[in-house]
Amino acid sequence: MPKPKTGCPTADGFQWMTGSRSQDTNGDESKNRKSASFHLDAVVDKKKVERSFCLKTSTAKDENRTIWPSGQYCIYKKGNCSVNLNYGFVFWDDDDTLANMNSESGTLPDGEYGTDTEIDFCCSTDGNKDKPVVLPTKEPFYLLAYKLPRCQMVKWAVSTLEWIYYDTEHRRNFDDREGAYPYNAATDNPTIYYCHYRGCNKTLTAMKGTFHSPNYPNKHFDGEYCSWKISVSPGNRIRLTFSNPSFHKQNDASNLIVYDGEHVSGEVLGVFYGSLPPPGKELYSSSNHMLVIFVSNATDSYTGFNASYSFIESRATPAPTISTTKQRPDVIWSKYTENQLSTNDDLNEESRKNKQKRQSYEEGVNVVAIVVPLSGLVIVALSLAGAFLYFRRRLKKSKGESGNSRRTVHFSNLTANVITSPSENANELYAEIEEREYQEIPMRETYPEQQNENPLYESAAYETIEGCLASKGWKDQCLSVLRFLPQLST
């Protein structure tokens, strides 16, 4: 790749080899030129163009190395092009006189270096310039522009488009090119475009500060993909304010995104662009982290933005209520302001109390659901126990008593006049059972404390009554059983 003035970027598992080529393009008649912004390790004057190279010559450790990403750019060729890159070359017809001063040193790209210059290239041709690719951005580096005079977008980097005009031989010029080659090399006296990249991802740890888009307040660079991660001390939040935003009116030319947190997985606090610039309102984070990303491919006079931030105590402003959407939001604002006093802790405490009340209510419902059936069973059990006591007393006295004497017997909460005559006794008992609805009579195991001194009698009497009540013609059968009960005591 072209060598920057800052030197070759840090190598990962290999050592860069360097070299240079000086081209005497057209002797004293040359009119070579370069861009105003220029970071190449090169000398460009009217007579010559001398530039340097950073070349990787070893492939020993390339098995696990990531291949060059898909995009639109070119690099110098040394050895074979990667499988996803295409080969091409550019031929410069340098000065044809005997005074030609071409020279070279060190390690050069593949090509031919004599009185003319031919350099081979490997180019990525099938990608999208506006789709950012991932490359090491810790130190400045260069790529060459392909197809258009624009730079490939590189994630977390700012690109600057620079150029060199090669004023080659004027008489019978044989400049040539073939295959895949840098933009504009297809013309005689070509202007070759070089893209200079420098990192643009910063971490701000001061409790307050300012930052701005690259080159602010001057016009945008040619491609910008930048981030600012703001981190203040724990227990605080961040208040962010933008001032003097200036974006291209085309909505996809520049985008400013603010995230609540330190990663892009956080909630989006706002998305701003040409027709929707950041307003004067403040943005608040819910923690001590905030992430700002700015992406722009605008090449115009718009300047970007300036921003300032400061910390606030966690209880001074609550965590923002974020509205989310599956589609990209135009802008999402916090619903809380600094004047509101409720905090996340308050909301959590209120939620905890409500949960405890709900649990207490559910437990109370469960207790009532258990107590009500038990109360009914106790009442029915006492009623049946009273009935059996009545039958027992009547059976004991039936043998020695005569006449139609009457006595009052309390059957649970009802009072019945019972006739000592077996038939009248049975009829009134039937009427009483019908009035109380016989299904309320409990099973005998619900009143074990009412055991008779003659268990056999109680068991037989109860089972006989239970059987007749369960039968279809239970009225006639139960009357017969009741008439028969006095005989059981003999």
Side-chain angles (χ1 to χ4, degrees), residues 443-487:
M443 297 295 289
R444 58 179 170 145
E445 50 265 30
T446 61
Y447 49 92
E449 68 279 3
Q450 300 295 332
Q451 295 292 335
N452 188 272
E453 61 271 16
N454 186 350
L456 180 60
Y457 162 77
E458 180 184 337
S459 176
Y462 180 83
E463 291 174 1
T464 303
I465 294 174
E466 183 182 38
C468 77
L469 292 178
S471 63
K472 295 183 178 179
W474 67 274
K475 182 174 181 179
D476 294 337
Q477 293 181 22
C478 287
L479 289 174
S480 299
V481 170
L482 292 173
R483 292 191 186 100
F484 178 71
L485 283 175
Q487 301 175 22

Side-chain angles (χ1 to χ4, degrees), residues 163-332:
W163 51 266
I164 297 176
Y165 169 70
Y166 294 84
D167 187 20
T168 53
E169 180 61 45
H170 291 183
R171 293 176 292 274
R172 299 183 61 194
N173 183 289
F174 291 98
D175 285 350
D176 197 11
R177 74 290 308 164
E178 188 174 302
Y181 45 80
Y183 170 74
N184 203 48
T187 63
D188 293 343
N189 312 118
T191 298
I192 305 297
Y193 290 85
Y194 303 84
C195 294
H196 178 250
Y197 296 89
R198 58 184 178 84
C200 189
N201 54 331
K202 298 181 179 180
T203 299
L204 308 175
T205 57
M207 296 302 286
K208 63 178 181 178
T210 61
F211 61 95
H212 53 76
S213 56
N215 210 39
Y216 179 90
N218 299 315
K219 80 180 197 76
H220 285 300
F221 287 113
D222 301 286
E224 300 171 351
Y225 198 115
C226 301
S227 70
W228 295 266
K229 184 173 75 173
I230 308 171
S231 295
V232 298
S233 60
N236 295 290
R237 296 191 179 111
I238 300 167
R239 175 172 51 204
L240 179 65
T241 306
F242 293 97
S243 59
N244 303 320
S246 175
F247 297 151
H248 194 286
K249 297 304 180 184
Q250 184 179 351
N251 289 344
D252 61 351
S254 300
N255 289 279
L256 177 65
I257 311 170
V258 182
Y259 294 93
D260 185 20
E262 56 185 326
H263 304 292
V264 294
S265 58
E267 299 291 350
V268 177
L269 295 178
V271 179
F272 312 103
Y273 43 85
S275 61
L276 188 63
K281 292 184 178 180
E282 298 165 330
L283 292 173
Y284 294 93
S285 69
S286 64
S287 69
N288 61 318
H289 299 292
M290 184 180 281
L291 178 64
V292 180
I293 293 180
F294 181 65
V295 181
S296 176
N297 56 14
T299 55
D300 48 43
S301 59
Y302 293 92
T303 58
F305 69 90
N306 185 52
S308 62
Y309 74 92
S310 60
F311 80 96
I312 55 175
E313 294 182 358
S314 293
R315 292 185 176 272
T317 298
T321 299
I322 304 299
S323 300
T324 59
T325 176
K326 293 183 179 179
Q327 299 179 354
R328 194 186 82 174
D330 290 343
V331 60
I332 305 172

